[in-house]
Amino acid sequence: MRVLITGGKGKTGRRVASSLTAKGIDVAIGTRRPDGPKDRRFDWADPSAASAFHGCDAVYLVAPTDRTDHLAVMQPLLEAAMERGVRRFVLLSSSLLEPGGPMMGEVHAWLAECAPEWAVLRPSWFMQNFSEGPHAATIREEGIIYTATGSGRVGFIDAEDIAATAAACLSATTPLNSDVVLTGPEALSYDDTAAIITAALGRPVRHVSLDPAALIARFVAQGLPPDYAKTLTDLDADIAAGVEDYTTSSVEQMTGQQPTSFRAFANRVVENWK
């Protein structure tokens, strides 16, 4: 068996590759800038990227991050993959995106209708947003986490657990042919995460909840387009309203292992904040 991993050097892709390799499964890494023996050039906007599917039985799908019309750009290559013999498709989506909804939701609905074997992973917010993503620099430099979430809680999930679930879906004898919502073991507010990081780091870290207009202005000042800044801020408003305040048992059901707690995560990555 060989699996193509699109976004193969990203947060989840590189971890999926490691998890599959540990299972003895051959992987091909789809990337815009190939530089290794397992790398294959892959770009959703380039029809010639269909050649990356050659010899693969399954594919891990990470949607492009520079646009929102995901099905329009992904469908031609998904059809090309099927023509080349790929049977199983595992899509990384989001807990907030229902099938048929915007962005990856459109791809979700298409796979359910058209793919021979499929699974859609819908994780909550990544713990890695604190260590590798937008909060990492402000934690290091200011001791502050900025959001517009108020006291809303999130079932933050470790990207390692997402990858383990993806590897299970890609390698299972029986296809899932469904979607799963993935969370960590507990729902936490950003005040809670700041307290946990404070304990791990040994110096104060606090959460500052901005009003939505102030967060939009902050994003725009960082160089984000105004429409995208508003979209991100609207997601924080959803958290404030309680939309993400829940947990699921999907990681344990799919992998046989308990998902990582935020405290264990913080202790593991504490060097990122020093």
Side-chain angles (χ1 to χ4, degrees):
M1 183 180 184
R2 178 178 295 145
V3 178
L4 175 69
I5 302 171
T6 68
K9 299 189 178 182
K11 279 188 181 68
T12 62
R14 68 179 188 270
R15 292 173 166 95
V16 174
S18 295
S19 187
L20 288 172
T21 300
K23 292 175 179 285
I25 294 173
D26 190 19
V27 299
I29 306 300
T31 174
R32 290 180 180 180
R33 290 175 287 277
D35 60 5
K38 290 187 176 293
D39 293 358
R40 298 184 179 187
R41 188 181 179 282
F42 189 86
D43 186 335
W44 284 111
D46 182 0
S48 70
S51 61
F53 296 111
H54 178 73
C56 293
D57 309 284
V59 58
Y60 178 65
L61 303 172
V62 177
T65 57
D66 57 353
R67 57 198 302 162
T68 58
D69 56 338
H70 289 151
L71 183 60
V73 70
M74 293 173 71
Q75 183 175 340
L77 285 176
L78 293 173
E79 291 173 341
M82 292 182 197
E83 291 169 1
R84 285 164 172 76
V86 176
R87 288 195 54 80
R88 186 169 298 185
F89 299 81
V90 175
L91 171 69
L92 178 66
S93 185
S94 164
S95 58
L96 292 172
L97 296 177
E98 298 287 342
M103 301 170 64
M104 289 86 78
E106 295 178 330
V107 184
H108 179 166
W110 188 88
L111 288 172
E113 181 178 350
C114 302
E117 301 175 359
W118 64 280
V120 176
L121 307 183
R122 297 172 56 200
S124 183
W125 293 76
F126 289 22
M127 292 180 184
Q128 277 70 15
N129 287 345
F130 295 87
S131 60
E132 303 173 23
H135 302 308
T138 60
I139 290 171
R140 278 195 306 270
E141 297 164 12
E142 303 176 55
I144 297 176
I145 302 166
Y146 294 99
T147 77
T149 61
S151 59
R153 300 196 304 170
V154 178
F156 295 104
I157 183 166
D158 190 344
E160 297 284 354
D161 293 326
I162 299 171
T165 307
C169 290
L170 288 160
S171 61
T173 303
T174 304
L176 184 64
N177 291 344
S178 182
D179 66 313
V180 288
V181 176
L182 306 176
T183 73
E186 57 194 340
L188 301 170
S189 70
Y190 279 86
D191 286 338
D192 295 331
T193 65
I196 292 170
I197 293 170
T198 293
L201 188 55
R203 61 178 172 81
V205 173
R206 61 191 177 95
H207 168 225
V208 173
S209 186
L210 304 171
D211 67 70
L215 187 60
I216 291 172
R218 180 177 176 83
F219 284 144
V220 171
Q222 292 170 348
L224 295 182
D227 287 349
Y228 190 42
K230 183 179 185 305
T231 296
L232 292 178
T233 302
D234 287 346
L235 295 176
D236 274 18
D238 289 338
I239 293 172
V243 170
E244 292 280 353
D245 189 0
Y246 64 92
T247 61
T248 72
S249 59
S250 299
V251 170
E252 184 179 7
Q253 290 172 354
M254 299 294 297
T255 68
Q257 298 180 344
Q258 288 282 344
T260 306
S261 71
F262 194 88
R263 189 174 303 278
F265 163 79
N267 289 330
R268 190 182 79 217
V269 304
V270 67
E271 293 299 321
N272 292 52
W273 299 314
K274 292 183 177 178

